[in-house]
Amino acid sequence: MNAARVLIGEKGYDGMAISDLCAQSGLPASSIYYHFGNKLGVLAALLERTFDELHALFPNPSSFGRLAPVDRLEAWFSAACDSLDRRPDYLQLLVAISIGPQKDAEAVQATVRRIRDYAHASWVDALTPIFAPNGGKNNEALVQRLAVLGRAMTDGLSVANSFDDVSYSSQVAPFVALIRGLAENRGSGAKRKR
């Protein structure tokens, strides 16, 4: 899996051949085919491993529940961005796979969808106490839209990280300021606990 991650990072999924994987990993092709079936099976297994690693790295917003709502978002997003700064290859791999021709393979779609759903649920969990603590259709719709924006921002940051050397963590303060301003404008109780 480590060899596959390196090769996909260097050559892309389409550029990686089983022979490259054999040379990088030291395993014979027969072992790779036996365990994974084909190159797509290697990719599916790598995505599963990536999901498990991301899940282990990323904090859950509820673990910061003792904080005021916007402070909770900031603490969670800071910790998540610190994780991505340490391992930018995780999200870069996910974004590359999500837009490549293999994105339509059932095994790839299922894992990518699970990763995206987990990220979306985390954003919703972080944003709900700010904008929809008491529910409400309009407030919940805003939370959903902001959760999509948060995911899109981190997806885009994976590209900025690759090409422009922009860290994920450098974007925490501007995004939190945007959320804080929006919350204050809406009167959503974004005040800090004293």
Side-chain angles (χ1 to χ4, degrees), residues 32-72:
I32 293 170
Y33 286 116
Y34 175 79
H35 289 286
F36 302 105
N38 55 28
K39 190 167 96 165
L40 190 58
V42 171
L43 177 61
L46 179 57
L47 284 174
E48 283 293 327
R49 181 177 178 191
T50 299
F51 174 77
D52 292 342
E53 291 170 345
L54 277 171
H55 186 60
L57 274 179
F58 272 53
N60 189 307
S62 63
S63 63
F64 301 99
R66 70 192 183 289
L67 300 173
V70 175
D71 296 335
R72 177 181 183 253

